[in-house]
Amino acid sequence: MGKGRIEAFSDGVIAIIITIMVLELKAPHGEGLQALIPLIPTLLSYVLSFVYVGIYWNNHHHMFQAVKHVRGGVLWANLHLLFWLSLMPFATGWMDDNDFAMTPVMVYGFILLMCGFAYYILGRMLIRVHGRDSDFAHTLGSDGKAALSVSLYIIAIILAAINPFISLGIYFIVACIWLIPDRRFERMMK
């Protein structure tokens, strides 16, 4: 199977996820800039979630530039990733509505963790399609950034029981680690 439909579908779902997140933002009551002050936590949680969704879209795009074809397992693995990403608006809103309480921050971290696992599974399914000795498999290789991210997510989920804001800081650090797109596939395509 060609990869065009999976890319188009993924782009559409991710666009909808971002749209849902921005629709959750409510305009302040008041016309001065001071009316925005109470919305700062809401805006920061939106920005963090937007960045995470953007990171997944960017890396998904880069990875699929190297994909030659897909099979049914890849379609399901991609849906698995989109499922977890689609929970980002829910988790973002829940955190914000509850002033970044322990449980919503833990759930947010769990969703980030599951997004990471789902992306890993998608990569493994694509290696299966292209072969373990393929250029794709060698380019994907082992990913130290992904392993570090998973470790940090687990630590952050646990630390949310002590202080949810430490967890949010860790989520922010992981996002910063991933802001630079995965260039492995760009190098492969040269």
Side-chain angles (χ1 to χ4, degrees), residues 148-173:
L148 174 63
S149 300
V150 166
S151 299
L152 289 172
Y153 290 145
I154 292 169
I155 291 167
I157 291 166
I158 293 166
L159 287 177
I162 297 167
N163 185 333
F165 291 99
I166 293 172
S167 301
L168 290 169
I170 294 171
Y171 302 151
F172 175 78
I173 290 168

mmCIF file with all atom_site columns, all heavy atoms in Angstrom, residues 148-173:
data_model
loop_
_atom_site.group_PDB
_atom_site.id
_atom_site.type_symbol
_atom_site.label_atom_id
_atom_site.label_alt_id
_atom_site.label_comp_id
_atom_site.label_asym_id
_atom_site.label_entity_id
_atom_site.label_seq_id
_atom_site.pdbx_PDB_ins_code
_atom_site.Cartn_x
_atom_site.Cartn_y
_atom_site.Cartn_z
_atom_site.occupancy
_atom_site.B_iso_or_equiv
_atom_site.pdbx_formal_charge
_atom_site.auth_seq_id
_atom_site.auth_comp_id
_atom_site.auth_asym_id
_atom_site.auth_atom_id
_atom_site.pdbx_PDB_model_num
ATOM 1   N N   . LEU A 1 148 ? 15.462 8.398  26.931 1.00 0.00 ? 148 LEU A N   1
ATOM 2   C CA  . LEU A 1 148 ? 15.556 9.435  27.954 1.00 0.00 ? 148 LEU A CA  1
ATOM 3   C C   . LEU A 1 148 ? 14.172 10.022 28.239 1.00 0.00 ? 148 LEU A C   1
ATOM 4   O O   . LEU A 1 148 ? 13.798 10.221 29.395 1.00 0.00 ? 148 LEU A O   1
ATOM 5   C CB  . LEU A 1 148 ? 16.519 10.543 27.510 1.00 0.00 ? 148 LEU A CB  1
ATOM 6   C CG  . LEU A 1 148 ? 16.616 11.762 28.426 1.00 0.00 ? 148 LEU A CG  1
ATOM 7   C CD1 . LEU A 1 148 ? 17.146 11.376 29.804 1.00 0.00 ? 148 LEU A CD1 1
ATOM 8   C CD2 . LEU A 1 148 ? 17.488 12.838 27.783 1.00 0.00 ? 148 LEU A CD2 1
ATOM 9   N N   . SER A 1 149 ? 13.403 10.264 27.188 1.00 0.00 ? 149 SER A N   1
ATOM 10  C CA  . SER A 1 149 ? 12.064 10.838 27.354 1.00 0.00 ? 149 SER A CA  1
ATOM 11  C C   . SER A 1 149 ? 11.168 9.929  28.176 1.00 0.00 ? 149 SER A C   1
ATOM 12  O O   . SER A 1 149 ? 10.468 10.392 29.089 1.00 0.00 ? 149 SER A O   1
ATOM 13  C CB  . SER A 1 149 ? 11.421 11.092 25.983 1.00 0.00 ? 149 SER A CB  1
ATOM 14  O OG  . SER A 1 149 ? 12.190 11.990 25.234 1.00 0.00 ? 149 SER A OG  1
ATOM 15  N N   . VAL A 1 150 ? 11.176 8.643  27.863 1.00 0.00 ? 150 VAL A N   1
ATOM 16  C CA  . VAL A 1 150 ? 10.347 7.685  28.603 1.00 0.00 ? 150 VAL A CA  1
ATOM 17  C C   . VAL A 1 150 ? 10.741 7.694  30.078 1.00 0.00 ? 150 VAL A C   1
ATOM 18  O O   . VAL A 1 150 ? 9.879  7.730  30.959 1.00 0.00 ? 150 VAL A O   1
ATOM 19  C CB  . VAL A 1 150 ? 10.468 6.271  27.989 1.00 0.00 ? 150 VAL A CB  1
ATOM 20  C CG1 . VAL A 1 150 ? 9.909  5.212  28.911 1.00 0.00 ? 150 VAL A CG1 1
ATOM 21  C CG2 . VAL A 1 150 ? 9.754  6.222  26.639 1.00 0.00 ? 150 VAL A CG2 1
ATOM 22  N N   . SER A 1 151 ? 12.041 7.686  30.352 1.00 0.00 ? 151 SER A N   1
ATOM 23  C CA  . SER A 1 151 ? 12.509 7.722  31.741 1.00 0.00 ? 151 SER A CA  1
ATOM 24  C C   . SER A 1 151 ? 12.035 8.981  32.445 1.00 0.00 ? 151 SER A C   1
ATOM 25  O O   . SER A 1 151 ? 11.570 8.927  33.591 1.00 0.00 ? 151 SER A O   1
ATOM 26  C CB  . SER A 1 151 ? 14.036 7.657  31.787 1.00 0.00 ? 151 SER A CB  1
ATOM 27  O OG  . SER A 1 151 ? 14.493 6.466  31.202 1.00 0.00 ? 151 SER A OG  1
ATOM 28  N N   . LEU A 1 152 ? 12.140 10.120 31.771 1.00 0.00 ? 152 LEU A N   1
ATOM 29  C CA  . LEU A 1 152 ? 11.717 11.374 32.376 1.00 0.00 ? 152 LEU A CA  1
ATOM 30  C C   . LEU A 1 152 ? 10.209 11.421 32.603 1.00 0.00 ? 152 LEU A C   1
ATOM 31  O O   . LEU A 1 152 ? 9.742  11.949 33.619 1.00 0.00 ? 152 LEU A O   1
ATOM 32  C CB  . LEU A 1 152 ? 12.180 12.562 31.525 1.00 0.00 ? 152 LEU A CB  1
ATOM 33  C CG  . LEU A 1 152 ? 13.685 12.828 31.546 1.00 0.00 ? 152 LEU A CG  1
ATOM 34  C CD1 . LEU A 1 152 ? 14.062 13.899 30.528 1.00 0.00 ? 152 LEU A CD1 1
ATOM 35  C CD2 . LEU A 1 152 ? 14.145 13.230 32.940 1.00 0.00 ? 152 LEU A CD2 1
ATOM 36  N N   . TYR A 1 153 ? 9.429  10.866 31.667 1.00 0.00 ? 153 TYR A N   1
ATOM 37  C CA  . TYR A 1 153 ? 7.973  10.819 31.858 1.00 0.00 ? 153 TYR A CA  1
ATOM 38  C C   . TYR A 1 153 ? 7.621  9.997  33.096 1.00 0.00 ? 153 TYR A C   1
ATOM 39  O O   . TYR A 1 153 ? 6.773  10.397 33.899 1.00 0.00 ? 153 TYR A O   1
ATOM 40  C CB  . TYR A 1 153 ? 7.264  10.211 30.651 1.00 0.00 ? 153 TYR A CB  1
ATOM 41  C CG  . TYR A 1 153 ? 7.269  11.055 29.405 1.00 0.00 ? 153 TYR A CG  1
ATOM 42  C CD1 . TYR A 1 153 ? 7.350  10.462 28.155 1.00 0.00 ? 153 TYR A CD1 1
ATOM 43  C CD2 . TYR A 1 153 ? 7.173  12.441 29.456 1.00 0.00 ? 153 TYR A CD2 1
ATOM 44  C CE1 . TYR A 1 153 ? 7.341  11.221 26.994 1.00 0.00 ? 153 TYR A CE1 1
ATOM 45  C CE2 . TYR A 1 153 ? 7.175  13.206 28.303 1.00 0.00 ? 153 TYR A CE2 1
ATOM 46  C CZ  . TYR A 1 153 ? 7.253  12.590 27.071 1.00 0.00 ? 153 TYR A CZ  1
ATOM 47  O OH  . TYR A 1 153 ? 7.243  13.344 25.932 1.00 0.00 ? 153 TYR A OH  1
ATOM 48  N N   . ILE A 1 154 ? 8.265  8.848  33.249 1.00 0.00 ? 154 ILE A N   1
ATOM 49  C CA  . ILE A 1 154 ? 7.978  7.988  34.410 1.00 0.00 ? 154 ILE A CA  1
ATOM 50  C C   . ILE A 1 154 ? 8.340  8.711  35.704 1.00 0.00 ? 154 ILE A C   1
ATOM 51  O O   . ILE A 1 154 ? 7.572  8.712  36.672 1.00 0.00 ? 154 ILE A O   1
ATOM 52  C CB  . ILE A 1 154 ? 8.699  6.629  34.271 1.00 0.00 ? 154 ILE A CB  1
ATOM 53  C CG1 . ILE A 1 154 ? 8.075  5.838  33.111 1.00 0.00 ? 154 ILE A CG1 1
ATOM 54  C CG2 . ILE A 1 154 ? 8.637  5.847  35.578 1.00 0.00 ? 154 ILE A CG2 1
ATOM 55  C CD1 . ILE A 1 154 ? 8.855  4.608  32.694 1.00 0.00 ? 154 ILE A CD1 1
ATOM 56  N N   . ILE A 1 155 ? 9.496  9.359  35.721 1.00 0.00 ? 155 ILE A N   1
ATOM 57  C CA  . ILE A 1 155 ? 9.904  10.126 36.905 1.00 0.00 ? 155 ILE A CA  1
ATOM 58  C C   . ILE A 1 155 ? 8.893  11.234 37.188 1.00 0.00 ? 155 ILE A C   1
ATOM 59  O O   . ILE A 1 155 ? 8.482  11.447 38.335 1.00 0.00 ? 155 ILE A O   1
ATOM 60  C CB  . ILE A 1 155 ? 11.330 10.692 36.711 1.00 0.00 ? 155 ILE A CB  1
ATOM 61  C CG1 . ILE A 1 155 ? 12.354 9.552  36.724 1.00 0.00 ? 155 ILE A CG1 1
ATOM 62  C CG2 . ILE A 1 155 ? 11.648 11.750 37.768 1.00 0.00 ? 155 ILE A CG2 1
ATOM 63  C CD1 . ILE A 1 155 ? 13.732 9.961  36.240 1.00 0.00 ? 155 ILE A CD1 1
ATOM 64  N N   . ALA A 1 156 ? 8.467  11.942 36.140 1.00 0.00 ? 156 ALA A N   1
ATOM 65  C CA  . ALA A 1 156 ? 7.530  13.049 36.315 1.00 0.00 ? 156 ALA A CA  1
ATOM 66  C C   . ALA A 1 156 ? 6.177  12.564 36.833 1.00 0.00 ? 156 ALA A C   1
ATOM 67  O O   . ALA A 1 156 ? 5.563  13.231 37.678 1.00 0.00 ? 156 ALA A O   1
ATOM 68  C CB  . ALA A 1 156 ? 7.351  13.796 34.995 1.00 0.00 ? 156 ALA A CB  1
ATOM 69  N N   . ILE A 1 157 ? 5.712  11.430 36.335 1.00 0.00 ? 157 ILE A N   1
ATOM 70  C CA  . ILE A 1 157 ? 4.433  10.886 36.805 1.00 0.00 ? 157 ILE A CA  1
ATOM 71  C C   . ILE A 1 157 ? 4.517  10.584 38.298 1.00 0.00 ? 157 ILE A C   1
ATOM 72  O O   . ILE A 1 157 ? 3.613  10.914 39.069 1.00 0.00 ? 157 ILE A O   1
ATOM 73  C CB  . ILE A 1 157 ? 4.043  9.640  35.988 1.00 0.00 ? 157 ILE A CB  1
ATOM 74  C CG1 . ILE A 1 157 ? 3.695  10.040 34.554 1.00 0.00 ? 157 ILE A CG1 1
ATOM 75  C CG2 . ILE A 1 157 ? 2.875  8.902  36.631 1.00 0.00 ? 157 ILE A CG2 1
ATOM 76  C CD1 . ILE A 1 157 ? 3.620  8.862  33.580 1.00 0.00 ? 157 ILE A CD1 1
ATOM 77  N N   . ILE A 1 158 ? 5.617  9.990  38.720 1.00 0.00 ? 158 ILE A N   1
ATOM 78  C CA  . ILE A 1 158 ? 5.803  9.672  40.141 1.00 0.00 ? 158 ILE A CA  1
ATOM 79  C C   . ILE A 1 158 ? 5.916  10.951 40.972 1.00 0.00 ? 158 ILE A C   1
ATOM 80  O O   . ILE A 1 158 ? 5.295  11.077 42.031 1.00 0.00 ? 158 ILE A O   1
ATOM 81  C CB  . ILE A 1 158 ? 7.045  8.763  40.331 1.00 0.00 ? 158 ILE A CB  1
ATOM 82  C CG1 . ILE A 1 158 ? 6.788  7.395  39.686 1.00 0.00 ? 158 ILE A CG1 1
ATOM 83  C CG2 . ILE A 1 158 ? 7.405  8.626  41.808 1.00 0.00 ? 158 ILE A CG2 1
ATOM 84  C CD1 . ILE A 1 158 ? 8.031  6.545  39.509 1.00 0.00 ? 158 ILE A CD1 1
ATOM 85  N N   . LEU A 1 159 ? 6.687  11.925 40.480 1.00 0.00 ? 159 LEU A N   1
ATOM 86  C CA  . LEU A 1 159 ? 6.902  13.166 41.229 1.00 0.00 ? 159 LEU A CA  1
ATOM 87  C C   . LEU A 1 159 ? 5.641  14.025 41.332 1.00 0.00 ? 159 LEU A C   1
ATOM 88  O O   . LEU A 1 159 ? 5.556  14.890 42.207 1.00 0.00 ? 159 LEU A O   1
ATOM 89  C CB  . LEU A 1 159 ? 8.038  13.974 40.617 1.00 0.00 ? 159 LEU A CB  1
ATOM 90  C CG  . LEU A 1 159 ? 9.445  13.424 40.840 1.00 0.00 ? 159 LEU A CG  1
ATOM 91  C CD1 . LEU A 1 159 ? 10.476 14.277 40.118 1.00 0.00 ? 159 LEU A CD1 1
ATOM 92  C CD2 . LEU A 1 159 ? 9.762  13.333 42.323 1.00 0.00 ? 159 LEU A CD2 1
ATOM 93  N N   . ALA A 1 160 ? 4.680  13.782 40.454 1.00 0.00 ? 160 ALA A N   1
ATOM 94  C CA  . ALA A 1 160 ? 3.429  14.553 40.531 1.00 0.00 ? 160 ALA A CA  1
ATOM 95  C C   . ALA A 1 160 ? 2.748  14.352 41.878 1.00 0.00 ? 160 ALA A C   1
ATOM 96  O O   . ALA A 1 160 ? 2.022  15.236 42.348 1.00 0.00 ? 160 ALA A O   1
ATOM 97  C CB  . ALA A 1 160 ? 2.493  14.179 39.393 1.00 0.00 ? 160 ALA A CB  1
ATOM 98  N N   . ALA A 1 161 ? 2.984  13.207 42.505 1.00 0.00 ? 161 ALA A N   1
ATOM 99  C CA  . ALA A 1 161 ? 2.408  12.948 43.834 1.00 0.00 ? 161 ALA A CA  1
ATOM 100 C C   . ALA A 1 161 ? 3.027  13.863 44.893 1.00 0.00 ? 161 ALA A C   1
ATOM 101 O O   . ALA A 1 161 ? 2.401  14.151 45.906 1.00 0.00 ? 161 ALA A O   1
ATOM 102 C CB  . ALA A 1 161 ? 2.603  11.485 44.216 1.00 0.00 ? 161 ALA A CB  1
ATOM 103 N N   . ILE A 1 162 ? 4.237  14.331 44.633 1.00 0.00 ? 162 ILE A N   1
ATOM 104 C CA  . ILE A 1 162 ? 4.927  15.214 45.579 1.00 0.00 ? 162 ILE A CA  1
ATOM 105 C C   . ILE A 1 162 ? 4.651  16.681 45.225 1.00 0.00 ? 162 ILE A C   1
ATOM 106 O O   . ILE A 1 162 ? 4.261  17.471 46.074 1.00 0.00 ? 162 ILE A O   1
ATOM 107 C CB  . ILE A 1 162 ? 6.443  14.935 45.573 1.00 0.00 ? 162 ILE A CB  1
ATOM 108 C CG1 . ILE A 1 162 ? 6.697  13.498 46.038 1.00 0.00 ? 162 ILE A CG1 1
ATOM 109 C CG2 . ILE A 1 162 ? 7.197  15.949 46.423 1.00 0.00 ? 162 ILE A CG2 1
ATOM 110 C CD1 . ILE A 1 162 ? 8.100  13.005 45.778 1.00 0.00 ? 162 ILE A CD1 1
ATOM 111 N N   . ASN A 1 163 ? 4.881  17.013 43.955 1.00 0.00 ? 163 ASN A N   1
ATOM 112 C CA  . ASN A 1 163 ? 4.663  18.385 43.496 1.00 0.00 ? 163 ASN A CA  1
ATOM 113 C C   . ASN A 1 163 ? 4.387  18.361 41.994 1.00 0.00 ? 163 ASN A C   1
ATOM 114 O O   . ASN A 1 163 ? 5.311  18.161 41.200 1.00 0.00 ? 163 ASN A O   1
ATOM 115 C CB  . ASN A 1 163 ? 5.883  19.245 43.807 1.00 0.00 ? 163 ASN A CB  1
ATOM 116 C CG  . ASN A 1 163 ? 5.664  20.697 43.473 1.00 0.00 ? 163 ASN A CG  1
ATOM 117 O OD1 . ASN A 1 163 ? 4.868  21.055 42.604 1.00 0.00 ? 163 ASN A OD1 1
ATOM 118 N ND2 . ASN A 1 163 ? 6.388  21.565 44.161 1.00 0.00 ? 163 ASN A ND2 1
ATOM 119 N N   . PRO A 1 164 ? 3.147  18.583 41.584 1.00 0.00 ? 164 PRO A N   1
ATOM 120 C CA  . PRO A 1 164 ? 2.803  18.545 40.154 1.00 0.00 ? 164 PRO A CA  1
ATOM 121 C C   . PRO A 1 164 ? 3.585  19.543 39.311 1.00 0.00 ? 164 PRO A C   1
ATOM 122 O O   . PRO A 1 164 ? 3.818  19.303 38.124 1.00 0.00 ? 164 PRO A O   1
ATOM 123 C CB  . PRO A 1 164 ? 1.308  18.867 40.141 1.00 0.00 ? 164 PRO A CB  1
ATOM 124 C CG  . PRO A 1 164 ? 0.816  18.513 41.493 1.00 0.00 ? 164 PRO A CG  1
ATOM 125 C CD  . PRO A 1 164 ? 1.962  18.775 42.424 1.00 0.00 ? 164 PRO A CD  1
ATOM 126 N N   . PHE A 1 165 ? 4.039  20.628 39.909 1.00 0.00 ? 165 PHE A N   1
ATOM 127 C CA  . PHE A 1 165 ? 4.756  21.630 39.128 1.00 0.00 ? 165 PHE A CA  1
ATOM 128 C C   . PHE A 1 165 ? 6.163  21.165 38.754 1.00 0.00 ? 165 PHE A C   1
ATOM 129 O O   . PHE A 1 165 ? 6.702  21.577 37.723 1.00 0.00 ? 165 PHE A O   1
ATOM 130 C CB  . PHE A 1 165 ? 4.762  22.978 39.859 1.00 0.00 ? 165 PHE A CB  1
ATOM 131 C CG  . PHE A 1 165 ? 3.385  23.576 39.902 1.00 0.00 ? 165 PHE A CG  1
ATOM 132 C CD1 . PHE A 1 165 ? 2.599  23.446 41.035 1.00 0.00 ? 165 PHE A CD1 1
ATOM 133 C CD2 . PHE A 1 165 ? 2.856  24.212 38.788 1.00 0.00 ? 165 PHE A CD2 1
ATOM 134 C CE1 . PHE A 1 165 ? 1.316  23.965 41.065 1.00 0.00 ? 165 PHE A CE1 1
ATOM 135 C CE2 . PHE A 1 165 ? 1.575  24.730 38.800 1.00 0.00 ? 165 PHE A CE2 1
ATOM 136 C CZ  . PHE A 1 165 ? 0.789  24.608 39.942 1.00 0.00 ? 165 PHE A CZ  1
ATOM 137 N N   . ILE A 1 166 ? 6.749  20.297 39.555 1.00 0.00 ? 166 ILE A N   1
ATOM 138 C CA  . ILE A 1 166 ? 8.020  19.674 39.168 1.00 0.00 ? 166 ILE A CA  1
ATOM 139 C C   . ILE A 1 166 ? 7.773  18.813 37.932 1.00 0.00 ? 166 ILE A C   1
ATOM 140 O O   . ILE A 1 166 ? 8.564  18.834 36.977 1.00 0.00 ? 166 ILE A O   1
ATOM 141 C CB  . ILE A 1 166 ? 8.601  18.837 40.326 1.00 0.00 ? 166 ILE A CB  1
ATOM 142 C CG1 . ILE A 1 166 ? 9.009  19.731 41.491 1.00 0.00 ? 166 ILE A CG1 1
ATOM 143 C CG2 . ILE A 1 166 ? 9.791  17.996 39.845 1.00 0.00 ? 166 ILE A CG2 1
ATOM 144 C CD1 . ILE A 1 166 ? 9.422  18.983 42.747 1.00 0.00 ? 166 ILE A CD1 1
ATOM 145 N N   . SER A 1 167 ? 6.682  18.073 37.936 1.00 0.00 ? 167 SER A N   1
ATOM 146 C CA  . SER A 1 167 ? 6.334  17.235 36.789 1.00 0.00 ? 167 SER A CA  1
ATOM 147 C C   . SER A 1 167 ? 6.144  18.078 35.538 1.00 0.00 ? 167 SER A C   1
ATOM 148 O O   . SER A 1 167 ? 6.633  17.733 34.462 1.00 0.00 ? 167 SER A O   1
ATOM 149 C CB  . SER A 1 167 ? 5.067  16.439 37.071 1.00 0.00 ? 167 SER A CB  1
ATOM 150 O OG  . SER A 1 167 ? 5.254  15.622 38.196 1.00 0.00 ? 167 SER A OG  1
ATOM 151 N N   . LEU A 1 168 ? 5.430  19.186 35.673 1.00 0.00 ? 168 LEU A N   1
ATOM 152 C CA  . LEU A 1 168 ? 5.233  20.074 34.518 1.00 0.00 ? 168 LEU A CA  1
ATOM 153 C C   . LEU A 1 168 ? 6.566  20.594 33.993 1.00 0.00 ? 168 LEU A C   1
ATOM 154 O O   . LEU A 1 168 ? 6.758  20.704 32.780 1.00 0.00 ? 168 LEU A O   1
ATOM 155 C CB  . LEU A 1 168 ? 4.313  21.229 34.899 1.00 0.00 ? 168 LEU A CB  1
ATOM 156 C CG  . LEU A 1 168 ? 2.854  20.852 35.138 1.00 0.00 ? 168 LEU A CG  1
ATOM 157 C CD1 . LEU A 1 168 ? 2.105  22.015 35.774 1.00 0.00 ? 168 LEU A CD1 1
ATOM 158 C CD2 . LEU A 1 168 ? 2.194  20.413 33.848 1.00 0.00 ? 168 LEU A CD2 1
ATOM 159 N N   . GLY A 1 169 ? 7.482  20.887 34.907 1.00 0.00 ? 169 GLY A N   1
ATOM 160 C CA  . GLY A 1 169 ? 8.819  21.310 34.493 1.00 0.00 ? 169 GLY A CA  1
ATOM 161 C C   . GLY A 1 169 ? 9.535  20.224 33.699 1.00 0.00 ? 169 GLY A C   1
ATOM 162 O O   . GLY A 1 169 ? 10.192 20.503 32.697 1.00 0.00 ? 169 GLY A O   1
ATOM 163 N N   . ILE A 1 170 ? 9.380  18.987 34.140 1.00 0.00 ? 170 ILE A N   1
ATOM 164 C CA  . ILE A 1 170 ? 10.004 17.866 33.414 1.00 0.00 ? 170 ILE A CA  1
ATOM 165 C C   . ILE A 1 170 ? 9.356  17.698 32.041 1.00 0.00 ? 170 ILE A C   1
ATOM 166 O O   . ILE A 1 170 ? 10.055 17.482 31.040 1.00 0.00 ? 170 ILE A O   1
ATOM 167 C CB  . ILE A 1 170 ? 9.928  16.571 34.249 1.00 0.00 ? 170 ILE A CB  1
ATOM 168 C CG1 . ILE A 1 170 ? 10.791 16.709 35.506 1.00 0.00 ? 170 ILE A CG1 1
ATOM 169 C CG2 . ILE A 1 170 ? 10.351 15.357 33.418 1.00 0.00 ? 170 ILE A CG2 1
ATOM 170 C CD1 . ILE A 1 170 ? 10.623 15.584 36.517 1.00 0.00 ? 170 ILE A CD1 1
ATOM 171 N N   . TYR A 1 171 ? 8.029  17.815 31.974 1.00 0.00 ? 171 TYR A N   1
ATOM 172 C CA  . TYR A 1 171 ? 7.354  17.728 30.669 1.00 0.00 ? 171 TYR A CA  1
ATOM 173 C C   . TYR A 1 171 ? 7.873  18.830 29.736 1.00 0.00 ? 171 TYR A C   1
ATOM 174 O O   . TYR A 1 171 ? 8.077  18.594 28.540 1.00 0.00 ? 171 TYR A O   1
ATOM 175 C CB  . TYR A 1 171 ? 5.839  17.845 30.811 1.00 0.00 ? 171 TYR A CB  1
ATOM 176 C CG  . TYR A 1 171 ? 5.187  16.815 31.710 1.00 0.00 ? 171 TYR A CG  1
ATOM 177 C CD1 . TYR A 1 171 ? 4.028  17.110 32.400 1.00 0.00 ? 171 TYR A CD1 1
ATOM 178 C CD2 . TYR A 1 171 ? 5.730  15.535 31.875 1.00 0.00 ? 171 TYR A CD2 1
ATOM 179 C CE1 . TYR A 1 171 ? 3.419  16.176 33.229 1.00 0.00 ? 171 TYR A CE1 1
ATOM 180 C CE2 . TYR A 1 171 ? 5.134  14.604 32.703 1.00 0.00 ? 171 TYR A CE2 1
ATOM 181 C CZ  . TYR A 1 171 ? 3.970  14.927 33.379 1.00 0.00 ? 171 TYR A CZ  1
ATOM 182 O OH  . TYR A 1 171 ? 3.374  14.006 34.201 1.00 0.00 ? 171 TYR A OH  1
ATOM 183 N N   . PHE A 1 172 ? 8.099  20.003 30.293 1.00 0.00 ? 172 PHE A N   1
ATOM 184 C CA  . PHE A 1 172 ? 8.637  21.111 29.506 1.00 0.00 ? 172 PHE A CA  1
ATOM 185 C C   . PHE A 1 172 ? 10.050 20.792 29.013 1.00 0.00 ? 172 PHE A C   1
ATOM 186 O O   . PHE A 1 172 ? 10.381 21.046 27.852 1.00 0.00 ? 172 PHE A O   1
ATOM 187 C CB  . PHE A 1 172 ? 8.634  22.397 30.354 1.00 0.00 ? 172 PHE A CB  1
ATOM 188 C CG  . PHE A 1 172 ? 9.284  23.564 29.673 1.00 0.00 ? 172 PHE A CG  1
ATOM 189 C CD1 . PHE A 1 172 ? 8.618  24.268 28.689 1.00 0.00 ? 172 PHE A CD1 1
ATOM 190 C CD2 . PHE A 1 172 ? 10.572 23.957 30.020 1.00 0.00 ? 172 PHE A CD2 1
ATOM 191 C CE1 . PHE A 1 172 ? 9.223  25.349 28.051 1.00 0.00 ? 172 PHE A CE1 1
ATOM 192 C CE2 . PHE A 1 172 ? 11.183 25.024 29.400 1.00 0.00 ? 172 PHE A CE2 1
ATOM 193 C CZ  . PHE A 1 172 ? 10.506 25.728 28.409 1.00 0.00 ? 172 PHE A CZ  1
ATOM 194 N N   . ILE A 1 173 ? 10.873 20.219 29.883 1.00 0.00 ? 173 ILE A N   1
ATOM 195 C CA  . ILE A 1 173 ? 12.242 19.852 29.497 1.00 0.00 ? 173 ILE A CA  1
ATOM 196 C C   . ILE A 1 173 ? 12.233 18.830 28.364 1.00 0.00 ? 173 ILE A C   1
ATOM 197 O O   . ILE A 1 173 ? 12.981 18.956 27.388 1.00 0.00 ? 173 ILE A O   1
ATOM 198 C CB  . ILE A 1 173 ? 13.033 19.334 30.717 1.00 0.00 ? 173 ILE A CB  1
ATOM 199 C CG1 . ILE A 1 173 ? 13.326 20.487 31.679 1.00 0.00 ? 173 ILE A CG1 1
ATOM 200 C CG2 . ILE A 1 173 ? 14.323 18.623 30.295 1.00 0.00 ? 173 ILE A CG2 1
ATOM 201 C CD1 . ILE A 1 173 ? 13.842 20.061 33.039 1.00 0.00 ? 173 ILE A CD1 1
#
